Amino acid sequence: MAQELPLTAGAPSQLRASPPSRTTVLVIAKEPVPGRVKTRLTPPYSPTEAARLAEAALHDTLCTVARTPAGRRVLVLEGRPGPWLPAGFEVVPQGRGGLDERIASAFEQCDGPALLIGMDTPQVTPGLLAQSTGPHAWDECDACFGPAADGGFWALGFRRPRPDLVRGVPMSTSRTGEMQRHRLAEAGLTVRELPVLRDVDTAADAEQIAAHCDGSFAAVHAGLSRAVAP
């Protein structure tokens, strides 16, 4: 966004634009179809209700990315896009194989700095993402890493994409984040550490996250929680 700089005495009036972001932001996600997403939310939620929460989380995440400085915004999707997708995104299909292969494949589509996040942290903010997408974000680091409270990770980024450092990391375990972080260190990369965030996996997770965020997820959670309350 252009910023007007203070004028010095005798200097001509001029506007100087901030350097544009060079970073591609990748959001890896599933189409929020009942029975295929957020199955650990059932019970207490029905498959349809769990899918509504997933859709709200995805929508909020995409809207946050839309407000974040980025060179490109790419949704890496399993399934088909729906009305929850805001404008300004490229949509590409996920690759084949396990999650490590699909993440690696997403990074292979980038030829410059790239940050990948999932759809499970609707509490993420533009300010938090901008640490890894701003015009000077990669001046002093090779990678960024955002651990998740369940032992995984919610964010992973590279100044120069390194798909080889993702392939083979066991996913969806309590040590996934630890092992992925070790891969970065073992490769000699300078890593920017991002804050720990909680994923929406269980009903308890959803309750805690909804209490600390605004937007669609908090609103949908409030309505559904009233419906399932004893």
Side-chain angles (χ1 to χ4, degrees):
M1 180 179 294
Q3 296 179 334
E4 185 172 357
L5 301 180
L7 300 178
T8 58
S13 175
Q14 60 181 343
L15 291 175
R16 296 181 184 176
S18 298
S21 173
R22 299 176 294 125
T23 303
T24 295
V25 180
L26 304 157
V27 180
I28 188 165
K30 290 182 178 180
E31 180 187 0
V33 175
R36 297 182 60 190
V37 292
K38 296 296 152 206
T39 55
R40 291 173 61 189
L41 292 177
T42 58
Y45 299 103
S46 70
T48 297
E49 291 168 337
R52 286 186 60 195
L53 285 168
E55 179 176 333
L58 177 56
H59 178 263
D60 284 355
T61 300
L62 294 172
C63 287
T64 295
V65 172
R67 301 196 305 273
T68 301
R72 294 169 62 205
R73 298 174 180 87
V74 181
L75 174 61
V76 186
L77 183 64
E78 179 184 313
R80 297 174 298 178
W84 37 263
L85 177 64
F89 282 82
E90 302 170 42
V91 181
V92 300
Q94 288 187 23
R96 297 180 179 274
L99 182 55
D100 63 316
E101 289 286 348
R102 287 178 276 143
I103 291 174
S105 177
F107 278 118
E108 286 177 337
Q109 301 185 52
C110 304
D111 57 7
L115 173 71
L116 179 140
I117 66 172
M119 61 183 283
D120 297 336
T121 51
Q123 72 273 42
V124 73
T125 65
L128 185 54
L129 296 181
Q131 295 181 43
S132 301
T133 66
H136 302 294
W138 300 99
D139 289 355
E140 298 180 357
C141 70
D142 303 308
C144 64
F145 182 75
D150 64 359
F153 61 88
W154 66 269
L156 179 64
F158 295 99
R159 181 162 59 93
R160 295 186 179 90
R162 290 290 305 272
D164 59 301
L165 297 183
V166 182
R167 285 193 171 95
V169 174
M171 296 288 158
S172 303
T173 79
S174 61
R175 297 189 59 219
T176 293
E178 176 188 347
M179 289 184 283
Q180 181 63 75
R181 181 64 179 82
H182 178 71
R183 280 280 192 93
L184 304 180
E186 193 175 43
L189 303 187
T190 302
V191 181
R192 173 182 291 117
E193 305 286 350
L194 300 177
V196 177
L197 293 185
R198 180 180 294 274
D199 285 340
V200 178
D201 287 326
T202 67
D205 294 329
E207 182 175 4
Q208 289 193 37
I209 291 168
H212 295 93
C213 69
D214 299 316
S216 298
F217 185 80
V220 171
H221 181 269
L224 293 179
S225 294
R226 287 192 292 269
V228 301

